[in-house]
Amino acid sequence: MKNLIYGVCIWMSISFSLSGHNPAEKEEGDIIIKNGLFRLVVGSNAIAKSLTLTSTGEECLMQEENVPLFSVTQERPYHNEIKLSHPNKRTTFQANSIHREGDKLIVGFELVPYQAVIQLKETPAYVGFSLEGFIVAPGTYPSYLKITPPPATELCLLQLPVRNHTYFGEWLNVSWDENVAVNVLATDENAYIDFEKHNNYKLLTATALKEIKFEGTGAALIVCKPEDLLDNIAQIEEDFDLPKGVESRRSNMINASYYWSPQVNPGNVDQHIRYAKMGGFRAMNLYYPCFEGFGGYDLIGNYEIDRKLYPNGKEDLKKMLDKIKAAGITPGVHFLHSHIGRNSQYVTPIPDHRLNLTRTFTLSEDIAPDDTEIFVEQNPKGTVMADGCRVLKVGSEFITYENYTITPPYKFIGCTRGVDQTTVNGLSKGSIIGIVDVSEFGATSLYIDQRTSLQDEIAEKIADIYDAGFQFIYFDGSEGVNPPFGINVALAQYRVFKRLKPEPLFAEGAAKSHFSWHMLSGGNAFDVFAPEVLKEEVRKWPGEEAPRMKQDFTRINFGWLGYVIPDENTVGTQPDMLEYVTSMAAGWDCPVSIHAYPHILDAHPKTKDNMEVFRRWEEVRARNWLTDTQKKMLQNVEQEHHLLLDEQGQFELVAYDQISDVAGGSRDIRAFTFKRKGEYYVVYWHISGDKKLQLPLKPSDITLYEKLDKKKKVISATNNSVTVPASNRHYIKTNKLTTEQLSDAFKSAQIID
């Protein structure tokens, strides 16, 4: 038998065999669960025999696997005879009997002496399964066994061996192709949804965890045509009062790119609006220092509006957001919702008791205020040793350690007392201390224990600030929770999200688990990549993820994009880099975002050209200008594209290729060739300066443009060369030269000051 670990329910051998029978053949005792869309047949032995789409009769199960529909897991056997007969270990017991009583399924299991009651909800859009409780006969466990029956830790609400289809959305947990979609979906935030790959099928599962919630935890089964899937999920969201993930994905803002900054405040908001409009951004995302002031991650958790920036507090913040909205820009907010700063009020002067501890220890000796060694009963072997993360919570103080012993007497050594300005104290033998769950990202913040009220307290503070007029949200640091991550990542987000009124137009997050699908309609954004590796990293990461997320019926954000000024160490952020990212994103119906700082935008010599790239592509998104054929072109990660304005000022999409080694290998000129209307072009520019470029071309062979609707004179010309501007983006057209001749001319060009 193979154990179930956090919801992955595995079929093991059972005594009953259907060899020689048609698995889908109706037999006495079979249970039929159906709606107008599908039909699920379950044998009296609890084996899922058939799952068919009603409209076509297509069979969706790998029937020969004989997988029971339910299972239950115990950490060890508790019934005395079972305990004696079988190994004492974590064990999954498969369902082996089932009968129906009205809208309830009564399920029995191998060996364990109790039954589970599963509540059914058959609707036109889906069938719901939820754990109502257990039936334990009196006397099943003797009176001397002081346990609360049944001693289960997990109950698998649903496990189906679904045949492989063309696509599989691992986030939504849906297997689908052009004919059918099979989806096992949580109906509340407590269900653990998962899958396991097998030959020719995937085992889709939904599990209730005792440590999270047993009774009432539920999941739904949807089997339908793929074009109807979102409608059916929307019905589930309506019936179970879930976040409106479908509605959000259908909004006209779902593909909107945003301008992100940590520096927006009433004193400079007009400057930010000007740049955002220059780039055509429909949304602006404000990082929390915009209204809390700069203090780094150390201050996360306070969530208090800085009165120096906003003398009237929330009212001033509201007025600023109203100004952003009046400019036609939708404001959003970016929080680290599950982190607590090490200099926040939740740490100094006394650490909050609701901070998460990754391990706990029992003191084996008293601690005095000046002790630098801490003796414990348990072996610390394997405890964190990363710099900045070696932190103990000991009563009212944080204590760091240099190392520990792994032979008795166990102790932490090289201790520094009262770190992070916490209160030094003494503690008696037998007291419980613990390892603080310090963020692995810089070790400047701590994680909340999601089993406590602290996340709700922080959520209330976030919701109060959001209420000033924000309309979307980014859940940063979402990985910063305690296990089980498949539940707590989404649960931490939900504890914030459900307090946000009105519901965000869309949301993004740094991490996701199944239930997050209803909230993170925008998926995720990527961290900033350096200019020199940007294209490669985009191919590697968002370029790889976007098609997978399409299988989850959602999008991602191809940003965040950095904005780097050219200098001796870098070419800086250039138009072709931004065009590569944002064009590929548009091909997948995804937006981008940029990290914007006004002083950098002011100083960057290519800001005008760079923002024009954003503006054009954002208009393309807003107008839904791209055809399906064009989107397919843009999905090719090996081909770059340019969105130009033609002679009538209308958008035109062309594929273009970079000329390497321009001007003898200078990095200062970037040039790309393309063909349109039977003629060859080069678009080129200088990365930072206002120079000239001498090309070995005849003046009669080319035409120069800054915009294609108006010719521009060359600076100078001889019979065999022309001198053209090398500053912002310009175009050279020819109908007499080949693309190879144009490329050779640019390689032989000379840059003139």
Side-chain angles (χ1 to χ4, degrees):
M1 292 183 290
K2 188 174 182 180
N3 291 341
L4 169 67
I5 300 178
Y6 287 106
V8 182
C9 308
I10 309 302
W11 173 77
M12 63 185 189
S13 62
I14 63 174
S15 59
F16 185 79
S17 172
L18 293 176
S19 177
H21 293 79
N22 179 357
E25 185 178 329
K26 180 74 167 64
E27 296 181 357
E28 185 177 353
D30 281 356
I31 294 172
I32 309 298
I33 301 169
K34 64 180 181 178
N35 61 11
L37 299 175
F38 68 90
R39 182 175 185 263
L40 173 63
V41 181
V42 185
S44 60
N45 59 352
I47 299 293
K49 297 173 65 175
S50 176
L51 178 63
T52 53
L53 181 66
T54 303
S55 61
T56 65
E58 179 176 343
E59 178 59 59
C60 299
L61 291 189
M62 188 64 71
Q63 297 167 293
E64 57 270 27
E65 294 299 316
N66 295 332
V67 176
L69 198 59
F70 308 101
S71 69
V72 69
T73 298
Q74 296 184 170
E75 287 302 316
R76 66 169 175 85
Y78 285 85
H79 187 279
N80 191 55
E81 281 65 37
I82 299 174
K83 177 192 69 176
L84 294 171
S85 302
H86 295 274
N88 277 234
K89 62 182 180 66
R90 182 179 175 84
T91 304
T92 296
F93 301 95
Q94 300 293 332
N96 63 1
S97 68
I98 188 171
H99 69 274
R100 183 168 182 168
E101 296 180 3
D103 59 357
K104 295 178 175 57
L105 298 177
I106 312 303
V107 183
F109 304 92
E110 303 170 306
L111 297 178
V112 293
Y114 51 80
Q115 297 171 303
V117 181
I118 306 297
Q119 177 76 50
L120 284 179
K121 183 177 182 178
E122 292 167 303
T123 79
Y126 61 90
V127 173
F129 299 78
S130 62
L131 176 59
E132 182 174 289
F134 295 90
I135 300 173
V136 185
T140 299
Y141 295 95
S143 59
Y144 63 77
L145 189 60
K146 304 303 181 185
I147 64 171
T148 301
T153 55
E154 301 173 7
L155 187 285
C156 190
L157 295 162
L158 201 58
Q159 54 180 1
L160 291 168
V162 176
R163 295 177 183 274
N164 284 344
H165 296 93
T166 307
Y167 308 110
F168 183 75
E170 62 178 349
W171 184 18
L172 186 56
N173 206 42
V174 58
S175 181
W176 63 285
D177 56 23
E178 65 276 8
N179 299 315
V180 66
V182 182
N183 184 201
V184 172
L185 184 79
T187 55
D188 59 75
E189 67 273 25
N190 302 303
Y192 196 104
I193 304 297
D194 210 339
F195 71 94
E196 184 169 285
K197 293 180 180 179
H198 292 264
N199 288 335
N200 302 316
Y201 75 95
K202 292 180 179 67
L203 191 68
L204 306 188
T205 64
T207 303
L209 307 180
K210 186 176 184 179
E211 67 176 293
I212 302 297
K213 186 183 178 183
F214 252 170
E215 285 81 2
T217 296
L221 173 63
I222 303 173
V223 184
C224 64
K225 294 181 178 179
E227 59 267 28
D228 298 327
L229 179 65
L230 290 183
D231 287 339
N232 294 324
I233 294 176
Q235 189 61 56
I236 289 175
E237 292 176 337
E238 180 67 29
D239 290 353
F240 291 90
D241 194 25
L242 305 182
K244 301 300 187 287
V246 173
E247 180 180 314
S248 178
R249 284 170 173 81
R250 289 171 168 170
S251 130
N252 59 8
M253 285 296 292
I254 195 62
N255 68 353
S257 298
Y258 60 74
Y259 173 105
W260 178 100
S261 182
Q263 296 181 342
V264 182
N265 59 63
N268 65 15
V269 65
D270 291 327
Q271 187 180 16
H272 284 284
I273 289 173
R274 179 171 63 85
Y275 276 122
K277 290 183 74 66
M278 185 186 298
F281 292 99
R282 288 179 279 164
M284 182 183 293
N285 199 355
L286 279 62
Y287 197 28
Y288 72 94
C290 289
F291 42 83
E292 289 192 45
F294 285 92
Y297 285 4
D298 283 349
L299 292 179
I300 296 171
N302 286 340
Y303 298 113
E304 297 172 351
I305 297 174
D306 187 343
R307 292 286 178 155
K308 293 180 181 178
L309 295 173
Y310 303 84
N312 297 308
K314 185 175 175 180
E315 186 59 32
D316 284 347
L317 177 58
K318 183 180 185 303
K319 288 179 180 178
M320 186 183 77
L321 297 181
D322 286 343
K323 179 176 282 191
I324 294 171
K325 293 175 186 176
I329 299 171
T330 299
V333 66
H334 176 160
F335 281 114
L336 285 96
H337 61 292
S338 60
H339 291 232
I340 296 294
R342 291 179 65 166
N343 197 35
S344 77
Q345 60 188 341
Y346 290 100
V347 172
T348 303
I350 297 176
D352 195 281
H353 63 282
R354 298 165 294 179
L355 299 174
N356 194 48
L357 304 178
T358 58
R359 290 186 68 179
T360 57
F361 300 90
T362 306
L363 292 179
S364 59
E365 294 185 12
D366 294 347
I367 301 177
D370 57 352
D371 284 342
T372 58
E373 294 185 339
I374 298 176
F375 290 82
V376 294
E377 294 288 352
Q378 297 84 5
N379 190 342
K381 186 175 182 179
T383 298
V384 62
M385 283 296 294
D387 290 343
C389 297
R390 301 189 297 271
V391 184
L392 287 162
K393 182 180 180 297
V394 181
S396 64
E397 69 173 312
F398 279 175
I399 300 174
T400 59
Y401 56 90
E402 289 298 320
N403 212 325
Y404 47 76
T405 64
I406 57 174
T407 57
Y410 302 124
K411 60 183 176 179
F412 291 89
I413 58 179
C415 296
T416 301
R417 307 295 297 271
V419 298
D420 295 336
Q421 300 178 328
T422 54
T423 304
V424 176
N425 67 160
L427 217 55
S428 60
K429 175 182 177 179
S431 298
I432 303 299
I433 66 173
I435 303 294
V436 181
D437 196 356
V438 179
S439 168
E440 65 270 33
F441 293 100
T444 56
S445 61
L446 318 172
Y447 294 155
I448 294 169
D449 186 344
Q450 294 297 322
R451 297 164 293 187
T452 71
S453 61
L454 183 53
Q455 185 66 77
D456 294 305
E457 187 173 311
I458 295 300
E460 292 288 352
K461 292 185 174 186
I462 292 174
D464 184 59
I465 292 174
Y466 183 89
D467 181 61
F470 291 104
Q471 295 177 277
F472 68 92
I473 189 168
Y474 194 97
F475 290 100
D476 205 354
S478 292
E479 70 287 335
V481 296
N482 43 288
F485 298 105
I487 295 290
N488 281 332
V489 165
L491 186 56
Q493 295 163 347
Y494 189 46
R495 291 162 88 165
V496 178
F497 192 95
K498 65 185 178 182
R499 290 174 164 87
L500 305 179
K501 305 300 180 187
E503 190 168 295
L505 296 172
F506 66 90
E508 297 175 353
K512 55 186 176 289
S513 60
H514 173 76
F515 190 76
S516 300
W517 189 92
H518 300 289
M519 296 173 285
L520 306 188
S521 49
N524 59 284
F526 282 83
D527 285 325
V528 170
F529 300 122
E532 280 69 23
V533 299
L534 176 62
K535 294 178 183 179
E536 176 185 348
E537 295 296 328
V538 166
R539 283 192 289 270
K540 183 178 180 181
W541 298 110
E544 185 277 335
E545 187 190 6
R548 286 192 294 105
M549 291 289 273
K550 201 76 171 178
Q551 298 180 52
D552 281 302
F553 296 81
T554 199
R555 60 85 161 167
I556 62 170
N557 188 324
F558 270 64
W560 302 312
L561 299 173
Y563 202 66
V564 181
I565 297 173
D567 60 24
E568 63 275 9
N569 299 312
T570 176
V571 297
T573 302
Q574 296 296 322
D576 62 292
M577 300 172 186
L578 300 179
E579 189 139 39
Y580 179 75
V581 181
T582 194
S583 64
M584 190 189 302
W588 290 107
D589 296 314
C590 295
V592 297
S593 51
I594 183 174
H595 277 195
Y597 300 82
H599 66 285
I600 295 178
L601 289 164
D602 287 344
H604 198 302
K606 299 259 64 84
T607 289
K608 181 180 178 182
D609 282 344
N610 286 336
M611 285 301 179
E612 177 62 12
V613 170
F614 283 125
R615 187 200 68 77
R616 292 181 189 182
W617 281 102
E618 196 58 16
E619 185 175 339
V620 159
R621 289 182 178 84
R623 288 170 45 188
N624 292 314
W625 181 82
L626 291 171
T627 65
D628 288 342
T629 300
Q630 289 172 320
K631 289 179 183 179
K632 194 70 176 176
M633 289 169 49
L634 296 173
Q635 292 169 10
N636 179 3
V637 299
E638 302 302 329
Q639 178 62 60
E640 298 189 46
H641 293 85
H642 175 47
L643 185 66
L644 56 81
L645 295 178
D646 67 14
E647 292 81 355
Q648 288 74 45
Q650 300 300 310
F651 291 139
E652 184 176 328
L653 181 65
V654 296
Y656 72 167
D657 299 291
Q658 187 167 6
I659 302 173
S660 59
D661 299 324
V662 174
S666 171
R667 67 167 201 164
D668 291 343
I669 301 293
R670 298 178 77 83
F672 294 76
T673 62
F674 60 92
K675 183 180 181 181
R676 64 184 290 266
K677 299 180 180 179
E679 297 175 310
Y680 292 103
Y681 290 76
V682 174
V683 56
Y684 73 95
W685 63 91
H686 194 283
I687 66 167
S688 61
D690 187 1
K691 310 289 184 179
K692 301 178 183 67
L693 191 67
Q694 188 178 66
L695 294 162
L697 295 172
K698 295 180 180 179
S700 58
D701 288 343
I702 66 164
T703 306
L704 177 68
Y705 302 88
E706 187 168 356
K707 295 181 180 180
L708 295 183
D709 61 352
K710 187 177 181 180
K711 296 178 183 178
K712 187 173 182 178
K713 292 183 178 180
V714 300
I715 295 173
S716 62
T718 66
N719 288 335
N720 295 307
S721 73
V722 293
T723 301
V724 296
S727 53
N728 56 319
R729 286 195 298 184
H730 282 74
Y731 297 88
I732 287 177
K733 180 182 78 170
T734 181
N735 57 10
K736 297 180 179 179
L737 305 174
T738 65
T739 186
E740 290 79 10
Q741 289 172 317
L742 272 176
S743 296
D744 289 343
F746 270 81
K747 291 178 181 181
S748 301
Q750 293 184 7
I751 301 172
I752 302 172
D753 289 331

